[in-house]
Amino acid sequence: MNATRIEHDTMGEIAVPADRHWGAQTQRSLENFKIGGQRQPKEIITAFAYLKEACAQANAAVGKLTEKQASAISTACAEIRAGKWDGEFPLVVWQTGSGTQTNMNVNEVIAHLAADQGTALHPNDHVNASQSSNDTYPSALHIAAALALEQQVLPAASRLAAAFRKLEDAYPDLIRIGRTHLQDATPLRFAQEVSGWRALVESPCLMLETAQKELCRLAIGGTAVGTGLNSPKGYDEMVCKALRDLTGLDFRPDGNKFHALTSKDALVFAHGALKALAANLMKIANDIRWEASGPRCGMGELHIPENEPGSSIMPGKVNPTQCEAVTMVAVQVMGNDTAIGFAASQGNFQLNVFLPVSAYNFLLSANLLAEAMDSFRVHCVEGITPNVERMEENLNNSLMLVTCLTPKIGYEKAAECAKKALHDGTTLKEAVLSLKLLTAEEFDETVRPEKMV
């Protein structure tokens, strides 16, 4: 039997594994919520470690903690952020909706780590001083979300956009046929198409940067219901200043704590931008896998890297697996967005109690998108090359080049030429000459794809 020690809280005594640094409230949560197995995201624990250190600094500044106590909390928080104590945070997502037990898990671990170094701390009286779970978890959620955008999503998107820029620059003069409604359209440069893919990555990043500013408004200082009970005057700004110093992000107190404790609108807004990015990545991945379809019976206008065998029964088959991974991630992010929207609508009275599920879904989306973009870039985009011969063949065979004849022969005559060429199985030029609408020289002078882009 594993060794235990006895911890106590306001409900009495409980046995805790002797080799663990958590306390009674963490143990009760472990025993009462054996649901799902999905742990609180590591990013939430890291965010709490930033927040608790900032709170300790503010509490020391107003005399609620001694410098020694604040220093012990800071040391423990730095070790938690470094990943030294990841095993001490076992609680699942599916617990109390305010995240109270995760807040106490962090408080208890910090108190026990400080005790190991000779500083006695109470998890509530010292580590949680001037705080409530009701303002710390919403604050940690915003910190984690803002850091995920700053450190994961935006850098990965920047790298992907740069890869598209490189592909764009590599083929400045290559012309291909365009397609709208899945039908042939007028020509464009391959570089122009790729520039669209690049902008599909860059545009949501501007939205994310705007959203990040909203995430930087924190609930800290609101304590239980938004009134700031037991929180010193100016405490919220002191905490946010410490967070700015620790993280480099512009965290500010939410000006209305009654809003901050009950609303998750900033999270919905930010995840909406993640959903926009996911939707655009879905479009890019679909374009690439359609244009690389084949190798003989599809469009075949792009070559993409061949990374692994594609079939257990068809020898030699290779599939667009990176594109498929991106599209599955996009589907998951869209589902996560629905969960976050529903959760945000449930801010009853002075508190939203759907916080852990909101954190789980947001951070899952951020992680998946960042990793999918890097994988897609390395294993697909950086290896894309155009099938120049196939592009030129399709361009020259297209009937939509007739569009440039419209100013010379009119819309209806141009349509007649296109339909005749399609019906007779001839080229557009042959149809025009057959109808005696232009001479061969006039046709060659007018139908110039390079002038149509």
Side-chain angles (χ1 to χ4, degrees):
M1 184 174 180
N2 294 330
T4 61
R5 67 175 190 275
I6 298 300
E7 290 274 339
H8 77 275
D9 57 14
T10 57
M11 297 188 72
E13 294 184 340
I14 189 171
V16 174
D19 61 342
R20 293 302 186 180
H21 287 81
W22 64 68
Q25 292 198 47
T26 304
Q27 189 64 34
R28 292 190 196 283
S29 183
L30 264 178
E31 295 179 6
N32 291 333
F33 296 97
K34 297 177 180 179
I35 304 172
Q38 294 85 9
R39 289 190 177 188
Q40 288 286 318
K42 187 178 187 300
E43 295 89 343
I44 285 291
I45 304 303
T46 298
F48 262 110
Y50 278 120
L51 182 62
K52 294 296 177 178
E53 179 170 356
C55 290
Q57 292 181 19
N59 280 318
V62 299
K64 278 199 165 189
L65 293 178
T66 66
E67 289 297 332
K68 181 182 179 183
Q69 289 170 327
S71 178
I73 292 173
S74 294
T75 298
C77 288
E79 291 181 353
I80 290 169
R81 291 196 298 271
K84 186 176 180 180
W85 303 106
D86 287 352
E88 301 296 329
F89 304 99
L91 300 189
V92 295
V93 172
W94 322 106
Q95 53 165 275
T96 178
S98 63
T100 298
Q101 289 136 7
T102 289
N103 179 47
M104 286 309 303
N105 183 191
V106 175
N107 290 337
E108 289 173 345
V109 171
I110 291 172
H112 281 94
L113 291 175
D116 287 350
Q117 301 302 316
T119 302
L121 295 176
H122 190 282
N124 297 82
D125 295 336
H126 299 120
V127 187
N128 202 60
S130 309
Q131 303 154 60
S132 163
S133 298
N134 294 358
D135 66 353
T136 58
Y137 199 105
S139 297
L141 172 51
H142 275 209
I143 293 167
L147 288 173
L149 298 186
E150 180 75 12
Q151 297 175 356
Q152 295 175 268
V153 179
L154 291 171
S158 178
R159 291 188 289 269
L160 179 57
F164 282 128
R165 171 73 77 177
K166 186 175 180 181
L167 181 61
E168 189 181 334
D169 293 343
Y171 301 94
D173 300 319
L174 178 60
I175 300 175
R176 58 164 309 151
I177 198 64
R179 294 177 179 85
T180 59
H181 301 270
L182 301 182
Q183 305 294 308
D184 301 348
T186 54
L188 74 162
R189 296 186 190 278
F190 176 59
Q192 291 172 322
E193 179 180 39
V194 177
S195 78
W197 294 340
R198 171 175 53 80
L200 284 164
V201 177
E202 293 172 337
S203 182
C205 291
L206 299 176
M207 304 173 199
L208 287 170
E209 289 167 1
T210 299
Q212 191 178 47
K213 295 174 184 176
E214 297 301 312
L215 290 172
C216 283
R217 292 190 294 129
L218 303 185
I220 197 68
T223 64
V225 295
T227 60
L229 179 66
N230 294 344
S231 174
K233 183 176 176 59
Y235 174 79
D236 55 356
E237 175 52 40
M238 286 187 283
V239 172
C240 287
K241 181 183 183 306
L243 284 170
R244 292 194 292 272
D245 293 340
L246 286 167
T247 66
L249 294 184
D250 191 26
F251 290 110
R252 303 283 176 182
D254 193 307
N256 189 319
K257 301 299 192 295
F258 307 102
H259 161 267
L261 266 62
T262 194
S263 173
K264 294 279 83 61
D265 50 10
L267 200 73
V268 171
F269 182 54
H271 198 275
L274 289 179
K275 182 173 72 170
L277 176 58
N280 286 359
L281 290 172
M282 174 79 85
K283 180 263 192 295
I284 294 168
N286 278 335
D287 280 359
I288 290 173
R289 64 176 170 175
W290 275 113
E291 292 180 17
S293 62
R296 291 188 173 179
C297 300
M299 289 175 65
E301 294 188 349
L302 292 182
H303 298 300
I304 60 175
E306 298 183 352
N307 297 318
E308 60 273 315
S311 173
S312 61
I313 189 173
M314 292 175 280
K317 195 172 193 297
V318 179
N319 295 329
T321 52
Q322 289 295 319
C323 295
E324 291 167 5
V326 168
T327 57
M328 287 193 291
V329 165
V331 167
Q332 183 65 56
V333 171
M334 292 173 189
N336 293 348
D337 192 74
T338 300
I340 288 172
F342 277 121
S345 72
Q346 300 302 307
N348 296 328
F349 305 119
Q350 279 70 59
L351 187 66
N352 182 293
V353 291
F354 287 74
L355 300 179
V357 71
S358 298
Y360 175 73
N361 280 279
F362 188 97
L363 295 167
L364 177 60
S365 291
N367 290 336
L368 286 175
L369 285 170
E371 292 180 4
M373 284 189 288
D374 276 338
S375 181
F376 187 46
R377 170 180 57 83
V378 171
H379 299 293
C380 183
V381 174
E382 291 177 350
I384 290 175
T385 57
N387 183 339
V388 176
E389 294 78 11
R390 188 64 172 268
M391 283 189 180
E392 290 179 347
E393 177 188 353
N394 287 339
L395 174 66
N396 294 328
N397 197 40
S398 172
L399 300 178
M400 288 305 100
L401 297 179
V402 76
T403 305
C404 62
L405 294 178
T406 303
K408 269 191 161 321
I409 65 176
Y411 184 92
E412 291 191 12
K413 291 291 186 183
E416 183 182 356
C417 293
K419 290 179 179 180
K420 180 174 178 55
L422 180 61
H423 180 269
D424 296 348
T426 65
T427 66
L428 184 62
K429 183 176 182 179
E430 288 172 321
V432 171
L433 296 180
S434 174
L435 293 170
K436 301 185 183 326
L437 295 171
L438 293 173
T439 67
E441 292 75 16
E442 288 173 325
F443 182 92
D444 291 339
E445 177 61 30
T446 305
V447 181
R448 301 277 297 277
E450 67 273 15
K451 292 185 176 181
M452 300 175 69
V453 296

